[in-house]
């Protein structure tokens, strides 16, 4: 159960009260929890009377999150770095949500570290948070950063005697993050506290069924066919280790008119097979301006996603082999080099990290 400390609440409340120009940043390839925690925070800050709140994402977020309230005003660093830098330089508070180290926001990370005099808050649920913020609110046991933002908001509200309830925009965004980071409450979801929060958000008036449909029933036909192709043609099964493995090169992606976000969820599909407890999905990607510094000259980036069920951690393999990380049952990383090399690395590594049970 998330329990914020008094100093965390006091310091956060003070930082927010003192600031006029706030910037919220979240991680590369933003997912539902990244957008939910960042946008949820921004809506609430506006409710608190802050008129200058800017959300900045390192690179674009997927189409299936464009319906979320406030996305029109989100600035994508890759396409608007000058404007984004201006916001950052003028900011008197930078709030970082859903990531634990500056590396996770690509070259934005360096910009933020350079602004050493600007106070920063980190609200995150990944293991081993780096100590770069003025206030660090980190709970790796929390299923989502959005849930942590909810706890922080409620605590600050009480601390400042702010009696107005969360508005619909805040509630909708926070719910979206809670829902997506738990696979619609199908993993990391045995926390009674989470359902108390959901009850509160539903009372505020969110339409949780509509949110589900907007996120999970909004695929393009191309993406649906890509999914079919993955399962029919590409899925390899390693039965001894209860493992499934799918990888896609750029030619295959092009054939299905791949767009950002189309791969979301494909990694989870093999877990529907009886006795498959581990799943790995890889796809080829291009190195963009946001992560060029990490690429070491390679133009190709392989994005790796790992999922598992139960007490079978995948974040160790993500960390050791693919310079990544994440949670026990959902982790990822990147490999800067050709796809066959990345695939080979996984095939060599998985028996050392996965179990035959
Ligand atoms: P996904 O497979 O959906 O891209 O990522 C699942 C989870 O793995 C994310 O929530 C994040 O915690 C973690 N993750 C994904 N990619 C990376 C990465 O490149 N580095 C780190 N440190 N974590 C990652
Ligand atoms: Mn998250």
């Amino acid at each position: 159960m998330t329990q914020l400390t008094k100093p965390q609440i006091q310091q956060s409340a003070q930082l927010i009260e003192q600031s006029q120009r706030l910037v919220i940043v979240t991680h590369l390839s933003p997912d539902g929890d990244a957008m939910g925690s960042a946008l949820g925070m921004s809506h609430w800050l506006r409710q608190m009377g802050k008129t200058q709140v800017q959300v900045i994402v390192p690179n674009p977020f997927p189409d299936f999150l464009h319906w979320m309230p406030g996305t029109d005003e989100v600035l994508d660093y890759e396409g608007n770095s000058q404007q984004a830098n201006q916001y950052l330089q003028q900011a008197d508070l930078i709030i970082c949500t859903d990531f634990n180290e500056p590396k996770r926001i690509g070259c934005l990370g360096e910009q933020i570290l350079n602004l050493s005099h600007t106070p920063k808050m980190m609200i995150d649920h990944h293991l081993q948070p780096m100590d770069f913020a003025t206030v660090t609110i980190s709970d790796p046991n929390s299923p989502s950063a959005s849930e942590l933002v909810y706890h922080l908001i409620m605590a600050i509200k009480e601390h400042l005697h702010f009696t107005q309830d969360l508005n619909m925009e805040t509630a909708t965004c926070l719910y979206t993050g809670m829902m997506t980071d738990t696979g619609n409450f199908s993993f990391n979801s045995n926390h009674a506290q989470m359902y108390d929060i959901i009850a509160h958000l539903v009372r505020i008036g969110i339409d949780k069924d509509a949110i589900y449909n907007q996120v999970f029933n909004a695929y393009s036909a191309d993406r649906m066919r890509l999914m079919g192709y993955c399962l029919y043609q590409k899925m390899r099964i390693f039965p001894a280790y209860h493992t499934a493995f799918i990888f896609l090169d750029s030619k295959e992606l092009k054939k299905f008119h791949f767009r950002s976000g189309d791969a979301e969820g494909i990694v989870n599909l093999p877990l529907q097979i009886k006795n498959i407890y581990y799943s790995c999905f890889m796809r080829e990607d291009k190195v963009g301006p946001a992560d060029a510094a990490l690429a070491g000259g390679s133009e190709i980036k392989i994005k790796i996603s790992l999922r598992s069920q139960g007490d079978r951690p995948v974040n160790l393999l993500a960390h050791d082999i693919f310079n990544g990380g994440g949670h026990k049952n959902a982790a990822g990383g990147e490999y800067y080099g050709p796809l066959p090399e990345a695939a080979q690395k996984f095939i060599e590594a998985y028996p050392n990290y996965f179990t035959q049970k």
Side-chain angles (χ1 to χ4, degrees):
M1 186 172 135
T2 298
Q3 201 88 53
L4 301 177
T5 65
K6 261 218 171 98
Q8 281 176 328
I9 299 164
Q10 279 165 352
Q11 283 178 344
S12 307
Q14 196 181 14
L15 283 178
I16 289 172
E17 272 204 304
Q18 285 169 352
S19 347
Q20 300 307 320
R21 292 177 300 277
L22 300 97
V23 167
I24 306 172
V25 290
T26 190
H27 64 75
L28 271 168
S29 309
D31 56 11
D33 188 34
M35 297 310 290
S37 54
L39 286 170
M41 194 68 191
S42 77
H43 289 300
W44 181 69
L45 290 169
R46 290 206 186 90
Q47 210 185 336
M48 291 278 290
K50 305 289 168 188
T51 51
Q52 300 180 63
V53 184
Q54 182 62 51
V55 175
I56 300 176
V57 292
N59 59 353
F61 55 93
D63 286 350
F64 68 87
L65 297 174
H66 273 261
W67 63 271
M68 291 176 76
T71 49
D72 292 354
E73 289 166 33
V74 172
L75 207 56
D76 153 29
Y77 189 77
E78 224 168 58
N80 309 277
S81 57
Q82 256 187 344
Q83 208 185 345
N85 279 332
Q86 232 167 26
Y87 277 112
L88 283 167
Q89 269 146 22
Q90 290 168 1
D92 42 25
L93 179 60
I94 299 173
I95 303 178
C96 304
T97 72
D98 201 28
F99 68 93
N100 57 349
E101 49 177 342
K103 199 184 89 182
R104 289 284 289 140
I105 52 173
C107 57
L108 244 178
E110 216 172 291
Q111 311 281 358
I112 282 176
L113 289 180
N114 286 340
L115 296 167
S116 53
H117 297 297
T118 312
K120 298 171 193 78
M121 281 170 63
M122 184 220 279
I123 310 165
D124 179 54
H125 68 137
H126 294 91
L127 289 167
Q128 297 165 337
M130 212 179 110
D131 187 17
F132 71 93
T134 324
V135 183
T136 300
I137 292 169
S138 160
D139 181 2
N141 290 320
S142 178
S144 62
S146 297
E147 185 171 323
L148 278 179
V149 169
Y150 173 91
H151 287 300
L152 181 65
I153 290 177
M154 296 309 279
I156 294 179
K157 250 163 61 70
E158 194 182 320
H159 183 74
L160 297 178
H161 308 290
F162 187 78
T163 51
Q164 237 181 63
D165 206 351
L166 313 188
N167 61 22
M168 272 284 278
E169 286 82 7
T170 308
T172 298
C173 292
L174 296 182
Y175 180 79
T176 304
M178 291 170 65
M179 177 187 81
T180 51
D181 253 25
T182 57
N184 195 35
F185 311 103
S186 65
F187 50 83
N188 292 334
S189 61
N190 293 322
H191 305 271
Q193 201 184 29
M194 193 161 71
Y195 300 94
D196 295 335
I197 300 172
I198 297 170
H200 178 198
L201 302 179
V202 171
R203 260 185 233 112
I204 290 169
I206 64 158
D207 185 342
K208 69 185 271 304
D209 302 349
I211 295 173
Y212 178 92
N213 283 326
Q214 272 158 309
V215 172
F216 292 117
N217 292 336
Y219 298 139
S220 65
D222 277 328
R223 134 87 207 209
M224 222 48 200
R225 290 186 209 284
L226 175 68
M227 217 154 93
Y229 172 72
C230 284
L231 296 177
Y232 183 47
Q233 305 256 358
K234 299 291 301 194
M235 183 172 65
R236 295 174 65 179
I237 302 275
F238 307 127
Y241 285 84
H242 309 281
T243 296
F245 180 31
I246 298 171
F247 57 89
L248 294 172
D249 64 27
S250 56
K251 255 199 201 149
E252 293 168 309
L253 295 168
K254 208 168 158 199
K255 189 170 159 193
F256 291 92
H257 310 108
F258 184 82
R259 292 171 61 91
S260 140
D262 279 358
E264 200 79 27
I266 291 181
V267 65
N268 296 97
L269 296 173
L271 296 179
Q272 293 178 20
I273 302 166
K274 191 170 176 167
N275 294 326
I276 294 296
Y277 306 134
Y278 297 97
S279 172
C280 177
F281 173 78
M282 282 183 195
R283 70 179 164 89
E284 201 174 322
D285 201 354
K286 278 202 184 75
V287 173
D291 54 5
L294 301 170
S298 170
E299 284 177 11
I300 300 172
K301 167 171 79 174
I302 311 301
K303 180 80 192 84
I304 296 110
S305 284
L306 291 153
R307 296 291 185 274
S308 65
Q309 286 173 348
D311 195 17
R312 298 179 183 87
V314 282
N315 47 358
L316 277 177
L317 189 153
H319 175 267
D320 295 356
I321 309 296
F322 296 117
N323 198 26
H327 313 280
K328 185 169 73 176
N329 297 131
E334 276 154 6
Y335 183 78
Y336 295 97
L339 180 65
E341 260 178 45
Q344 192 54 32
K345 279 205 168 269
F346 173 73
I347 289 168
E348 281 165 15
Y350 80 82
N352 301 322
Y353 289 87
F354 297 174
T355 64
Q356 293 183 276
K357 279 190 288 186

